[in-house]
Amino acid sequence: MLQHLFVTVLVMLFPLAASAESPLIKDNFPNGRPELRWVSFPYFNRDNLEGARDSKAPDGDNGIGLLKNRNAGGFASLSYAVTRQMDNFYFESMVYCPVTEGGKGPLSGIAFLIDPIGGNFYRLVCDFKTNDPTVNLAYVGNETRNFPVYLKFWDEREVPGGIPKESGWHKMAVKVKDGRATAYWDLKELKGGPFIVDKIQRGFVGVYANFVGGLGEATTKVDSFLLREE
């Protein structure tokens, strides 16, 4: 009884310490209903993330998030969760990574340090076209005319577990600390980092979709979206 009272008093006196490991932001899309407010990146197609029912959702709650690139017929789409902007954080999400034949196809991933005013961001994507499959990290901005400036490619030898042979769900994550980013694939660190990401001081996090090799439709599926301040 006294021990229970002592713990209760500690939680009352130090509520932030007691919840230090709690995520600041999460969206599991239960039964296809987004739990956060999502907004489209103003410099792209204005496609926005939506919820959808899915009996095969990786977290088992019958719902996922979907971001398509349909508004302009095949260009990039970016949608972010409306929160306060952060500079030091850990961000992860389950992402459905499509495997496609040849040199054209969709890519899917997450984006971070999104600045909707300046029009720039960083993104980590799975690009699993069979001609040259990689996981890659890049900066995209107005000054680059929205073309990616690549920071790193990870190929078959560098992706933990190798490049998947079939489409499926994978956990993608990034940790940003003092202008440097460390990337993770299925909870394992991707080698070569941390990478300098100091072009943007702070920003939002979100979901990215694109089609490469020409114009085409792309859909990024996500689940278990989580962000916490570090």
Side-chain angles (χ1 to χ4, degrees):
M1 179 67 179
L2 288 177
Q3 183 180 13
H4 177 74
L5 179 61
F6 179 68
V7 172
T8 302
V9 171
L10 282 178
V11 172
M12 292 177 64
L13 290 176
F14 305 104
L16 294 180
S19 61
E21 297 302 319
S22 299
L24 293 180
I25 302 167
K26 63 187 181 81
D27 199 332
N28 292 321
F29 311 98
N31 294 310
R33 296 190 304 273
E35 299 173 288
L36 299 173
R37 186 164 74 90
W38 293 84
V39 174
S40 58
F41 188 64
Y43 292 87
F44 282 177
N45 295 348
R46 309 310 292 269
D47 296 90
N48 198 21
L49 185 141
E50 301 174 349
R53 293 183 65 87
D54 189 335
S55 61
K56 297 181 180 179
D59 64 2
D61 66 0
N62 298 312
I64 61 173
L66 294 179
L67 176 65
K68 300 181 179 182
N69 70 337
R70 59 191 174 196
N71 281 349
F75 189 56
S77 293
L78 176 61
S79 181
Y80 63 92
V82 179
T83 66
R84 66 182 181 85
Q85 300 180 67
M86 296 184 189
D87 51 4
N88 295 324
F89 55 87
Y90 172 81
F91 165 44
E92 70 176 33
S93 182
M94 294 295 293
V95 178
Y96 188 84
C97 293
V99 175
T100 55
E101 294 290 333
K104 300 180 180 180
L107 56 82
S108 299
I110 57 176
F112 60 98
L113 291 175
I114 300 168
D115 178 5
I117 304 300
N120 48 3
F121 60 94
Y122 292 88
R123 95 286 189 279
L124 177 68
V125 301
C126 45
D127 184 1
F128 292 161
K129 305 182 303 299
T130 56
N131 279 14
D132 186 22
T134 66
V135 173
N136 61 75
L137 175 68
Y139 167 80
V140 180
N142 273 332
E143 73 276 22
T144 71
R145 295 188 299 167
N146 292 326
F147 287 102
V149 176
Y150 292 100
L151 281 69
K152 177 66 175 176
F153 290 91
W154 293 274
D155 60 18
E156 169 68 29
R157 298 165 298 172
E158 299 169 301
V159 174
I163 298 291
K165 303 303 181 185
E166 297 180 351
S167 302
W169 289 96
H170 297 273
K171 181 170 288 188
M172 305 182 72
V174 63
K175 181 178 181 179
V176 175
K177 182 72 173 178
D178 299 329
R180 293 176 179 270
T182 304
Y184 300 87
W185 175 261
D186 285 337
L187 299 178
K188 295 182 179 179
E189 182 178 339
L190 290 163
K191 303 300 183 182
F195 303 93
I196 297 174
V197 291
D198 60 0
K199 289 183 177 294
I200 309 167
Q201 297 304 308
R202 62 182 55 85
F204 301 102
V205 297
V207 178
Y208 180 83
N210 201 353
F211 189 94
V212 290
L215 294 179
E217 293 186 0
T219 299
T220 294
K221 301 178 182 181
V222 296
D223 204 359
S224 301
F225 184 95
L226 182 149
L227 168 70
R228 68 171 181 260
E229 191 169 27
E230 293 284 319

